[in-house]
Amino acid sequence: MRLRALLETEALGLRLLGGEDELDRGVRGVMTTDLRDPSRYLSGGELVLTGLAWWRTAADSEPFVRILAGAGVAGLAAGEAELGDIPGDLVEACSRHRLPLFAVNESVAFATITEYVVRQVSGERAGDLAAVVDRHRRLMTSGPAGGGPEVVLDLLGSDLDLRAWVLSPTGRQIAGAGKPLPPAVSAALAGEHLAATRTGRRGPHRATIGGVTYSLFPIRNAGRGAVPASRDVRETVLSDWLLAVEADASDWPAARLDLLQGVTQLIAVERDRREAARTVRRRLAQEVLELVQTGAAPAEIAARLRVAAPVLLPGLGTAPHWQVVVARVDWGQDGAAGAGVAAGGTATAIEAGPVAQSLLEEILVDPAAAGPDATDRIAVAHTGEEAIALLPLPAVPADPDAPDAGSTEAGLHADALLSSVRDPLSAGLADDGRLTLGVSAAVSSAEGLRGALEEARHARRVAAARPGRVCAAGHHELASHVLLLPFVPDDVRRAFTARLLDPLRDYDRRHRAELIPTLEAFLDCDGSWTRCATRLHLHVNTLRYRVGRIEQLTSRDLSRLEDKLDFFLALRMS
């Protein structure tokens, strides 16, 4: 806004005392001060309001005005409530430094002037930014000349003082201006957004993390792969991005909300571009998967892998190892409010394969990976309700002294794969969804790829047998008893565990004897009386009494390997 606009608004009660030729100066903000030297708080372009408490003698005006002029302020408005008439020496000092001077009537509060200036400046900035956003959208729609979402996020910060970040469904930062969000905060915001979306609430969603309020705007997929609005929300909730703004948008005017919606539409264009870039990698994974599943010759599969390697690992000189990850998303029949029902009120079928595909592409991103698109090394196909990822790994070093030489633990590990994304994904899955993953060992040839696929599928079934919304299992677990447990019929499992454990549970319930925890600790300590007693903080004689009671109630002998194994399996299946 211009200084001239202040005089044109009668409600502000301003009277010009000097500087008529400078009234076209732009005002970028407002500041109230009675400090003799306010320079540290000035950045230029402000309208400075003062009650003249700093003024004692005529000699005080010159240094005060010189400081304001040197800081590049737009003008000075002095209140008449303290001294009555504005001192003549102040008028003269402002004239010498060509600083416009206004007198503020004692009946007008500084807050009234401040509110007016802030409202006008914010409105003008929003209008300017809206124009920039519109231009940027056109540039990005026609090609990459717009510079990506970071440019618009920078504008939100510089013009509207809004800090904002683009986050994935798991909380991974895709774009941001300035300091990144802490990973724990990003994950918590993603979880809040997913939970709110599952309940059917319209955005923006409000979330407070660590005493800071954020507004979360959904970024809808608007490209060729967009899901119609009438389809089930569960088909998109685990794949949509979000815009997190450090502000409370609940009291924003409609114009500002519209502006932020325009920003999300602009970012959606960038997302569509990245989705298109994934097409080649997805097609490569699909081709390899079809060859493996149809029993193609290893030479044919190897040829296809040679085509995929340069795309997924550009510049790699040696043939990579490969690892397979299988994921599946299962939904129950009863979802949260609005879930599973189309706009017309009719239940809809959920295409689980594409949901698992986009989610697996996100989960497999290395959080420490650099570059504009951290998914460049991930190729994921889907078949039926499964998503299958083909991951290239650098070849094992030839140098026997290299840190990873001969390692059998190269690549992804199931126990760490979901650690940073479990909470937000659980919020998106709510009480009717499950995500299970299986991870194979690394293989170095086409001959081993079919085995890796079956290994990953078996591991996923092991994960599916575990409790929880988000579960994973790895290839190292397939060499133990847990491989067999998922395939035991449910009625057999229930009968087996009931016969061994129900007598102990009944006894614990009646006598508070803690026989079940004692049994678990005894087996975990490999039958060592001393170690088990120490762990449970019991005397050895007390432990012997409890174990004897377990044997009496179950007619088993815990000194026999067979009975120990039966109890161990019963506890695992319960």
Side-chain angles (χ1 to χ4, degrees):
M1 63 170 293
R2 304 294 176 183
L3 282 174
R4 191 179 305 278
L6 298 173
L7 292 175
E8 297 171 352
T9 307
E10 296 182 2
L12 300 182
L14 295 180
R15 189 173 76 259
L16 183 65
L17 300 181
E20 185 174 359
D21 294 339
E22 306 293 332
L23 291 180
D24 286 328
R25 290 186 180 185
V27 179
R28 296 178 52 193
V30 63
M31 176 193 174
T32 300
T33 184
D34 274 315
L35 296 174
R36 290 176 178 270
D37 182 2
S39 57
R40 73 183 71 178
Y41 305 110
L42 298 171
S43 58
E46 298 92 348
L47 172 67
V48 175
L49 306 177
T50 179
L52 296 177
W54 52 267
W55 189 89
R56 293 291 182 270
T57 67
D60 294 334
S61 294
E62 173 62 27
F64 181 78
V65 174
R66 185 171 59 251
I67 289 170
L68 298 188
V73 302
L76 174 64
E80 296 178 324
E82 183 74 18
L83 302 177
D85 292 336
I86 305 301
D89 49 89
L90 179 60
V91 177
E92 293 173 1
C94 286
S95 178
R96 283 194 298 273
H97 290 279
R98 302 180 64 82
L99 182 66
L101 175 63
F102 302 88
V104 183
N105 190 282
E106 61 181 355
S107 64
V108 179
F110 282 178
T112 301
I113 301 174
T114 299
E115 181 182 359
Y116 174 83
V117 173
V118 169
R119 187 168 60 249
Q120 294 297 315
V121 171
S122 297
E124 291 177 2
R125 285 182 179 176
D128 292 343
L129 183 56
V132 173
V133 168
D134 183 65
R135 175 179 60 84
H136 204 72
R137 183 190 297 113
R138 291 195 300 270
L139 287 172
M140 290 186 68
T141 302
S142 60
E150 288 84 357
V151 175
V152 179
L153 299 185
D154 283 333
L155 290 172
L156 287 176
S158 61
D159 284 19
L160 296 184
D161 297 325
L162 293 176
R163 298 179 65 202
W165 303 265
V166 179
L167 305 178
S168 75
T170 64
R172 178 175 60 89
Q173 181 170 313
I174 295 168
K179 187 177 180 180
L181 284 172
V185 174
S186 297
L189 291 176
E192 293 277 356
H193 172 72
L194 290 174
T197 303
R198 283 302 311 274
T199 62
R201 287 194 283 132
R202 294 174 59 86
H205 309 125
R206 184 177 181 273
T208 301
I209 308 293
V212 180
T213 299
Y214 301 86
S215 294
L216 310 177
F217 294 80
I219 299 173
R220 306 297 186 191
N221 186 354
R224 288 175 294 178
V227 176
S230 61
R231 295 301 297 274
D232 195 315
V233 68
R234 290 175 290 184
E235 293 191 41
T236 60
V237 67
L238 297 178
S239 58
D240 281 341
W241 291 357
L242 68 137
L243 175 67
V245 181
E246 189 180 301
D248 186 352
S250 58
D251 58 352
W252 280 6
R256 177 167 287 202
L257 288 173
D258 289 345
L259 173 61
L260 266 294
Q261 295 296 344
V263 171
T264 64
Q265 293 170 12
L266 174 60
I267 297 170
V269 175
E270 174 65 14
R271 178 188 164 161
D272 293 342
R273 178 175 291 111
R274 297 191 186 190
E275 282 289 311
R278 291 179 177 178
T279 302
V280 173
R281 299 191 295 274
R282 287 174 173 175
R283 187 173 64 249
L284 286 173
Q286 198 74 41
E287 291 174 353
V288 174
L289 176 62
E290 290 173 358
L291 290 174
V292 170
Q293 292 191 131
T294 56
E300 187 177 358
I301 299 174
R304 183 56 56 188
L305 290 177
R306 285 194 294 272
V307 173
V311 175
L312 301 177
L313 286 177
L316 188 66
T318 58
H321 287 56
W322 300 91
Q323 197 169 15
V324 177
V325 181
V326 174
R328 177 170 172 147
V329 176
D330 292 291
W331 298 104
Q333 295 300 316
D334 299 323
V341 179
T346 304
T348 60
I350 302 174
E351 295 185 45
V355 175
Q357 180 183 43
S358 61
L359 184 56
L360 186 55
E361 287 172 334
E362 172 60 31
I363 291 173
L364 293 177
V365 174
D366 181 359
D373 192 344
T375 64
D376 283 346
R377 291 177 52 178
I378 298 170
V380 181
H382 75 83
T383 173
E385 296 183 339
E386 282 184 336
I388 300 171
L390 186 66
L391 296 176
L393 304 172
V396 177
D399 182 359
D401 296 325
D404 295 328
S407 172
T408 60
E409 296 297 325
L412 295 173
H413 299 278
D415 53 356
L417 191 59
L418 300 174
S419 59
S420 63
V421 301
R422 190 180 305 275
D423 289 343
L425 290 184
S426 296
L429 293 164
D431 57 358
D432 64 336
R434 286 200 77 203
L435 168 68
T436 51
L437 289 93
V439 182
S440 79
V443 296
S444 58
S445 66
E447 290 86 348
L449 205 55
R450 182 176 180 83
L453 175 59
E454 292 306 314
E455 193 174 56
R457 281 176 166 160
H458 279 302
R460 193 205 64 78
R461 293 189 190 101
V462 170
R466 296 172 175 169
R469 291 289 168 196
V470 181
C471 299
H475 60 91
H476 59 282
E477 300 179 65
L478 302 185
S480 72
H481 63 279
V482 296
L483 174 60
L484 303 175
L485 299 185
F487 309 105
V488 177
D490 288 343
D491 54 345
V492 176
R493 293 160 65 100
R494 285 192 295 268
F496 182 75
T497 58
R499 184 168 60 251
L500 281 176
L501 301 182
D502 279 2
L504 306 182
R505 292 182 178 129
D506 292 341
Y507 190 88
D508 281 348
R509 189 162 48 249
R510 293 196 309 270
H511 302 283
R512 299 181 181 178
E514 298 187 352
L515 295 185
I516 292 290
T518 301
L519 175 62
E520 291 175 331
F522 187 72
L523 295 174
D524 194 43
C525 293
D526 297 324
S528 169
W529 298 99
T530 303
R531 285 194 290 127
C532 184
T534 301
R535 174 181 294 191
L536 296 176
H537 305 289
L538 297 175
H539 192 277
V540 173
N541 288 341
T542 304
L543 176 61
R544 289 184 183 277
Y545 172 80
R546 289 188 181 179
V547 170
R549 179 64 68 183
I550 291 171
E551 293 175 333
Q552 179 186 15
L553 291 170
T554 60
S555 300
R556 296 295 183 112
D557 183 356
L558 278 168
S559 65
R560 297 178 67 247
L561 176 61
E562 292 86 349
D563 288 343
K564 285 181 181 178
L565 180 59
D566 283 348
F567 277 121
F568 179 78
L569 292 175
L571 289 169
R572 284 301 180 95
M573 289 192 292
S574 63

